[in-house]
């Protein structure tokens, strides 16, 4: 898996069960350094239609709701911020294999946690419909994962 972040002049790649590496765009693969998610900013990324979770997280985190926080004038971290330490966690209604689900895979290979919205292990890819995973929680640490899972559960109980 490969992710390129041109604005930061970096790329990351991950191999299943072998970790994640990061380098500058002009670095060859063997010059990349192992990437471990550590000490991320206390920022949570909420994907489309997940903004209802914000009230359950704002007391501990800066919350970016892609539906309302995105601006063409102010740059906000996106889900790939999981790999750079700009984002401590993300909650997505769904993840396409070629973008957010791929970044979730990379975050997991870099030491993060990735589960369903119920906190369960991800189902095998062959069970996915239309090349996408449904609901994802991506977290840099067990404590962030617990906070995100608690927010999902609290929001579902308040509906």
């Amino acid at each position: 898996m490969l992710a390129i972040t041109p604005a930061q002049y970096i790329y990351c790649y991950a191999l299943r069960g072998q970790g994640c590496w990061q380098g500058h765009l002009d670095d060859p693969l063997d010059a990349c350094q192992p990437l471990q998610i550590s000490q991320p900013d206390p920022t949570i990324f909420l994907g489309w239609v997940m903004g209802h979770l914000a009230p359950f997280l704002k007391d501990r985190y800066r919350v970016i709701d892609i539906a309302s926080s995105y601006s063409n004038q102010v740059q906000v971290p996106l889900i790939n911020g999981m790999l750079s330490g700009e984002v401590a966690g993300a909650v997505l209604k769904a993840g396409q294999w070629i973008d957010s689900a791929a970044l979730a895979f990379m975050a997991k290979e870099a030491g993060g946690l990735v589960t369903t919205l119920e906190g369960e292990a991800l189902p095998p890819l062959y069970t996915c419909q239309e090349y996408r995973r449904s609901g994802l929680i991506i977290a840099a640490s067990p404590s962030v994962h617990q906070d995100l899972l608690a927010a999902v559960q609290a929001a579902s109980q308040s509906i």
Side-chain angles (χ1 to χ4, degrees), residues 9-99:
Y9 201 68
I10 59 171
Y11 74 98
C12 298
Y13 74 93
L15 301 170
R16 183 179 302 161
Q18 297 182 33
C20 188
W21 292 268
Q22 180 177 7
H24 295 284
L25 290 180
D26 54 0
D27 289 341
L29 290 177
D30 60 359
C32 292
Q33 299 297 311
L35 177 65
Q36 279 294 121
I37 298 174
S38 64
Q39 305 279 323
D41 290 342
T43 300
I44 300 298
F45 177 88
L46 300 177
W48 292 104
V49 304
M50 300 309 286
H52 64 284
L53 301 177
F56 302 99
L57 297 164
K58 284 187 174 186
D59 62 330
R60 288 158 287 159
Y61 299 98
R62 171 184 173 215
V63 177
I64 296 170
D65 174 4
I66 193 62
S68 61
S69 300
Y70 180 79
S71 164
N72 62 0
Q73 313 219 335
V74 177
Q75 185 173 351
V76 295
L78 299 174
I79 190 170
N80 60 343
M82 286 291 306
L83 302 176
S84 65
E86 293 177 287
V87 174
V91 182
L92 308 170
K93 180 177 171 132
Q96 297 294 336
W97 286 5
I98 63 170
D99 54 32

Side-chain angles (χ1 to χ4, degrees), residues 68-150:
S68 61
S69 300
Y70 180 79
S71 164
N72 62 0
Q73 313 219 335
V74 177
Q75 185 173 351
V76 295
L78 299 174
I79 190 170
N80 60 343
M82 286 291 306
L83 302 176
S84 65
E86 293 177 287
V87 174
V91 182
L92 308 170
K93 180 177 171 132
Q96 297 294 336
W97 286 5
I98 63 170
D99 54 32
S100 52
L103 287 164
F105 166 79
M106 295 180 86
K108 184 175 181 182
E109 288 296 320
L113 293 128
V114 181
T115 67
T116 66
L117 294 179
E118 295 78 28
E120 301 295 325
L122 297 180
L125 283 176
Y126 68 82
T127 65
C128 299
Q129 300 292 317
E130 299 177 8
Y131 303 105
R132 59 190 259 157
R133 290 202 177 275
S134 50
L136 295 170
I137 294 176
I138 309 164
S141 69
S143 63
V144 171
H145 183 267
Q146 275 307 117
D147 289 343
L148 296 176
L149 184 58

